[in-house]
Amino acid sequence: MADHEPGITVARPVGTITEVHGPVVVIACSRLPPLRQALYADIDSETYLFEVHQHLDERRVRAITLHQTTGLERGLPVYDTGAPLRVPVGADCLGRLLNLFGEPLDGLPALAAADSRSIHFPPRPLWESVGAAGILETGIKVIDLLCPFVRAGKTGLFGGAGVGKTVLVMEFMHAVIALHRGVSVFAGIGERIREGHELWHELREAGVLDRSLLIYGQMDESPGVRFRVGLSALTYAEYLRDTLRTEVLFLMDNVFRFVQAGSEISSLLGRMPATVGYQPTLATEVAEIQERITSTPAGAITSVQAVYVPADDMTDPAVSAILSHLDTTVVLSRDQAAKGIYPAVDPLKSGSKLMDRRVLGERHYAVAEAVREHLARYRELEDIITMLGIEELSVSDRKIVLRARRLQRYLTQPFFVTASQTGLAGCSVSLQRTLDDCEGFLDGTFDTVPEEQCYMRGPMPDQ
């Protein structure tokens, strides 16, 4: 038995494997282990972990393999760990790259953890929870102005492939560490090895790795790993919240792959598919991870979740299930990306539950609404401009269109995490400066500034 596996303290034989169906195994047991119990088997001096998901009858259980299935065979003895899957926790976890089990992926020694926590740690009781309140500034103009993040809330970045979700997530990590001196926990659910490697090195080069923790469940791993790596990362976020008593940014990329892993497991367990082929337990599985993201008087967990949108369809059942839990919705648009508008946030489809005068204050609310109105009017007139030209518009509409075009370009921004690729130094703009600049665009202060001078910059120069 391998001593390094978390949670394994005593060997108690529980049964033998009788069937292997990909990552799902059927185990004939002398006594039934409870659901979500972690079991293990030893194969060629390696320890394979399983998680119990179904009781088939009084003697057999179905379990999900949390490793690659190479080497599994009928008759293999299986032992009980005596607990659900646990991960080692300790103050030395920051600055590390770990897997689902809390084992190092960065070539450094294992965590010198004095304690461990179950990944199914129950959420804090309602009376201990703190509600979302206030704005968490990011220094990203379009986000802070039009869809501000809720401190201790949940934000979703929705978009199809290639519109910049992962880059935006990386920039948020940089912003929270630089602006708020908090810590970040990143859950790579179904992470591509290339992307994971780039993120690890970019955070190190940016000097923020020592305030970050990366937990990866890679794309080529078992669906059981991709299904549970989010809970493992959340367990670390809860530990940091409770011990450091600080701002914790919890990022997941990509929540849709968590849903996909659950769909794979559901089919292998023999459940009948529900809407559009998704698992019947979709809403419950999404709620289980979302409702664990809570804040207490000790510290706040602010969540940012990248969500792949299949075929750019926001009505997809998986997207709808995730959307129902969020406080802020940031929709990334392929049309914006095609125009070179980065971050490719759609200002008319994105929004926040904080967009209220009583929360934002009169000035922020008024400026945000005026900017949104200008951009909406410009979008309405785009077809007319394309066919007839801007000269055919009324004087007032022409003024709105020209100001909206400048605002659209002003809301672009070079990122710190992409500086090495673009050659543009990253910048952070305070909310107050963003409001000052937008008021200048709206009242005509910058009407004589060429549009190209508004593009990919920080604050506007003082007039």
Side-chain angles (χ1 to χ4, degrees), residues 161-441:
V163 292
K165 297 186 296 298
T166 301
V167 170
L168 203 48
V169 163
M170 290 160 55
E171 188 70 9
F172 292 145
M173 292 180 72
H174 185 280
V176 164
I177 294 168
L179 296 179
H180 303 281
R181 299 306 303 162
V183 297
S184 294
V185 178
F186 178 86
I189 303 175
E191 191 75 0
R192 297 180 184 92
I193 292 175
R194 172 186 56 79
E195 286 183 351
H197 188 266
E198 287 175 358
L199 175 61
W200 178 38
H201 282 282
E202 282 165 1
L203 291 177
R204 186 161 57 185
E205 289 166 8
V208 296
L209 185 60
D210 61 337
R211 302 284 292 174
S212 305
L213 170 61
L214 309 179
I215 311 291
Y216 285 172
Q218 293 168 185
M219 190 174 279
D220 62 336
E221 294 191 86
S222 158
V225 172
R226 289 179 273 125
F227 191 55
R228 291 306 189 203
V229 69
L231 290 179
S232 180
L234 186 50
T235 302
Y236 280 103
E238 291 169 334
Y239 169 78
L240 293 170
R241 174 198 65 194
D242 298 338
T243 56
L244 297 184
R245 306 176 74 85
T246 186
E247 191 83 49
V248 179
L249 182 66
F250 177 60
L251 306 110
M252 287 192 287
D253 184 14
N254 185 305
V255 185
F256 185 76
R257 297 196 194 112
F258 160 76
V259 173
Q260 282 183 313
S263 181
E264 283 184 55
I265 290 172
S266 182
S267 298
L268 291 165
L269 292 174
R271 298 190 188 119
M272 185 71 71
T275 312
V276 199
Y278 287 111
Q279 60 270 42
T281 52
L282 171 64
T284 302
E285 290 168 1
V286 170
E288 180 183 9
I289 195 167
Q290 297 288 355
E291 294 307 303
R292 282 268 302 272
I293 304 171
T294 57
S295 300
T296 68
I301 297 180
T302 302
S303 172
V304 178
Q305 307 166 24
V307 185
Y308 169 70
V309 181
D312 293 336
D313 179 13
M314 290 293 290
T315 64
D316 184 87
V319 175
S320 299
I322 297 164
L323 195 59
S324 63
H325 292 273
L326 302 177
D327 301 298
T328 299
T329 305
V330 179
V331 179
L332 301 179
S333 162
R334 203 171 298 282
D335 289 340
Q336 294 284 88
K339 295 174 184 175
I341 306 297
Y342 288 102
V345 176
D346 189 320
L348 305 183
K349 293 181 180 178
S350 304
S352 171
K353 291 180 180 177
L354 279 193
M355 293 301 292
D356 187 286
R357 281 188 174 88
R358 293 166 295 182
V359 178
L360 300 182
E362 190 64 41
R363 183 192 182 208
H364 184 172
Y365 182 83
V367 171
E369 287 301 296
V371 168
R372 208 184 298 270
E373 286 170 9
H374 275 62
L375 295 173
R377 184 59 178 160
Y378 174 40
R379 186 167 295 182
E380 288 174 6
L381 297 171
E382 273 186 311
D383 289 340
I384 296 175
I385 295 170
T386 301
M387 292 185 292
L388 303 177
I390 194 170
E391 295 79 11
E392 298 302 315
L393 300 179
S394 66
V395 174
S396 61
D397 277 346
R398 198 180 311 163
K399 185 183 295 182
I400 287 173
V401 166
L402 292 174
R403 289 176 180 175
R405 286 173 60 89
R406 288 180 173 84
L407 278 166
Q408 186 183 56
R409 284 153 178 75
Y410 170 72
L411 293 177
T412 61
Q413 189 167 338
F415 284 167
F416 290 98
V417 296
T418 59
S420 59
Q421 287 88 15
T422 62
L424 299 173
C427 64
S428 177
V429 183
S430 70
L431 174 60
Q432 290 306 312
R433 188 57 191 264
T434 300
L435 294 176
D436 291 343
D437 288 345
C438 288
E439 283 179 336
F441 283 106

Side-chain angles (χ1 to χ4, degrees), residues 82-146:
L85 182 65
R86 301 179 70 85
V87 292
V89 292
D92 61 337
C93 64
L94 286 175
R96 299 301 302 273
L97 173 59
L98 307 175
N99 66 8
L100 164 68
F101 310 107
E103 299 168 338
L105 296 175
D106 50 13
L108 299 176
L111 295 182
D115 196 10
S116 64
R117 281 194 181 193
S118 167
I119 68 166
H120 300 294
F121 197 73
R124 287 299 185 98
L126 193 61
W127 58 271
E128 283 189 22
S129 300
V130 174
I135 292 176
L136 182 73
E137 283 195 39
T138 64
I140 301 172
K141 294 179 285 189
V142 66
I143 299 289
D144 291 343
L145 177 67
L146 299 177

